[in-house]
Amino acid sequence: MIQRMIGAAARAFLVAMLIAMPAVLLPGISADSAQIAALLSLIAAVLTFVEYHSDSPSLLEFRAAPPFNRLRFVALFLTVLALTLIARGAVQPSLASEILTGMGARIGSAMDVPFSPVHLVILMVPADTSETIVQMVRIHAGTAYLMSMLTLLLFILCVRLMAWPIRNGAFNFYVNLPLFDPTTGGDVLARLKRDGNVNVALGFLLPFLIPAVVQTFAAHTTPPALENPQTLIWMLSAWAFLPVSLIMRGVALLRIAGLVEEKRRRAYAQPEAQII
C-alpha cells in the first residue's frame, strides 16, 4: 500500500514537472500563462496519482507492462526539455542550449527534404513569417522527430531482444488493456491484429496529415502563433509524440496477438498429441 502510494506520487510529480517545464524555464512568461500551466500540471498530477494508486485500472494501458509507458514518458520529457532549452537559448544562451541548437539545426536541415515530415512542417509556416522563426521551426521539428524515431527504435529492441511483455511474468490482459473487452466484438486475435495494424498505419500517416490539417484550418482561421515559444514547443512535441505513441501501441497489440496465437497453437497441439 505505502509502496504503491509512493510510486504514484513520484509519477504524479514527474508529470507535473513535464507540463510546467516550458513555463518555468522560458523567460518572459506572462502571469496568465504561468497560472494556466500550474493548473494543468495540478490536474495531470491528480489524474496520474489516482490512476497508479488504484488497484483496478481505468484508462491507462500497459500499466503493468514496463517499459512501455516509461519509454513514452521519457521520450516526451526529453523532447519538451530539449525544445525548451533551444527556445530559451534564443534569449538566454547557455552551453547546453548552444549544443542542442547546433545539433537541431544540422538534424533539421538533413531532414528538410521534399515530401519528408519535417519539410511539410516548414511548408505549414505562413509565407510572411520571418526567416528566424522558420529556422527555429526547422530546428524544433528535426529535434522532436529524431527523438520520436529513437524512442520507437528502443521499443522495438525491447520487443525483439527482451521478450516484452512476458520477460518478467505473464501478461495480465485486464490490467494492461482495461478498455479492450475480450468478450465482445468477435475473435480476440482478429481484433488485436486489426487494431494493431490500424494504429501502426495511422501512426505512420499522422506526421504527414497533421501539417496538412493545420495548414487547411489556418487558411480559414487564425494560424498558430509560432513566434510564441510555448505554442511551438507543445505543437511540435505533439506532432512528433502522438504518431510514435500510436505506432508503439500498434506494435504492442501485434506482439500480444502473436502471443495469443502461439498459446492457441500449443493448446490445440496438446489434444492431438494425446490422441496419437
Side-chain angles (χ1 to χ4, degrees), residues 112 184 194 268 271:
D112 188 9
T184 60
R194 180 198 63 197
Y268 294 154

Side-chain angles (χ1 to χ4, degrees), residues 92-166:
Q92 297 180 359
S94 63
L95 179 60
S97 65
E98 290 178 358
I99 294 175
L100 289 172
T101 302
M103 292 176 58
R106 289 191 290 271
I107 295 168
S109 298
M111 293 184 175
D112 188 9
V113 296
F115 305 108
S116 71
V118 174
H119 185 67
L120 293 178
V121 170
I122 302 301
L123 294 179
M124 178 187 69
V125 179
D128 57 348
T129 305
S130 66
E131 183 59 30
T132 302
I133 300 298
V134 173
Q135 179 63 13
M136 189 60 67
V137 171
R138 183 181 291 109
I139 293 172
H140 279 59
T143 303
Y145 199 69
L146 177 64
M147 294 292 295
S148 67
M149 292 298 98
L150 290 176
T151 304
L152 180 60
L153 177 61
L154 285 175
F155 179 66
I156 292 176
L157 289 177
C158 288
V159 172
R160 295 296 183 185
L161 302 181
M162 299 176 60
W164 183 92
I166 57 173

Side-chain angles (χ1 to χ4, degrees), residues 70-254:
R70 295 174 187 176
L71 272 177
R72 293 198 301 174
F73 176 79
V74 170
L76 183 58
F77 190 93
L78 293 179
T79 300
V80 174
L81 177 60
L83 299 189
T84 301
L85 291 177
I86 291 172
R88 179 185 174 90
V91 181
Q92 297 180 359
S94 63
L95 179 60
S97 65
E98 290 178 358
I99 294 175
L100 289 172
T101 302
M103 292 176 58
R106 289 191 290 271
I107 295 168
S109 298
M111 293 184 175
D112 188 9
V113 296
F115 305 108
S116 71
V118 174
H119 185 67
L120 293 178
V121 170
I122 302 301
L123 294 179
M124 178 187 69
V125 179
D128 57 348
T129 305
S130 66
E131 183 59 30
T132 302
I133 300 298
V134 173
Q135 179 63 13
M136 189 60 67
V137 171
R138 183 181 291 109
I139 293 172
H140 279 59
T143 303
Y145 199 69
L146 177 64
M147 294 292 295
S148 67
M149 292 298 98
L150 290 176
T151 304
L152 180 60
L153 177 61
L154 285 175
F155 179 66
I156 292 176
L157 289 177
C158 288
V159 172
R160 295 296 183 185
L161 302 181
M162 299 176 60
W164 183 92
I166 57 173
R167 183 175 184 178
N168 297 322
F171 182 82
N172 190 317
F173 215 98
Y174 169 70
V175 172
N176 290 302
L177 293 173
L179 302 180
F180 188 92
D181 188 358
T183 63
T184 60
D187 183 55
V188 173
L189 183 59
R191 290 173 57 199
L192 286 171
K193 289 183 177 180
R194 180 198 63 197
D195 292 353
N197 289 323
V198 168
N199 277 265
V200 171
L202 187 59
F204 276 112
L205 289 176
L206 270 184
F208 302 92
L209 293 178
I210 291 177
V213 171
V214 172
Q215 193 172 14
T216 301
F217 278 99
H220 303 283
T221 59
T222 303
L226 298 178
E227 67 277 1
N228 186 326
Q230 287 197 88
T231 301
L232 185 61
I233 289 169
W234 286 116
M235 186 176 72
L236 292 183
S237 295
W239 164 78
F241 177 75
L242 290 178
V244 75
S245 182
L246 281 174
I247 295 175
M248 288 175 61
R249 184 178 187 272
V251 171
L253 292 178
L254 292 174

Side-chain angles (χ1 to χ4, degrees), residues 17-72:
M17 281 184 57
L18 168 64
I19 296 177
M21 189 190 308
V24 172
L25 295 181
L26 290 175
I29 298 299
S30 64
D32 292 339
S33 297
Q35 291 174 1
I36 293 174
L39 177 61
L40 293 176
S41 300
L42 179 61
I43 294 174
V46 171
L47 293 176
T48 303
F49 180 82
V50 171
E51 173 67 29
Y52 276 95
H53 185 259
S54 63
D55 294 325
S56 301
S58 57
L59 296 175
L60 187 64
E61 294 183 327
F62 303 105
R63 196 180 80 172
F68 184 86
N69 288 319
R70 295 174 187 176
L71 272 177
R72 293 198 301 174

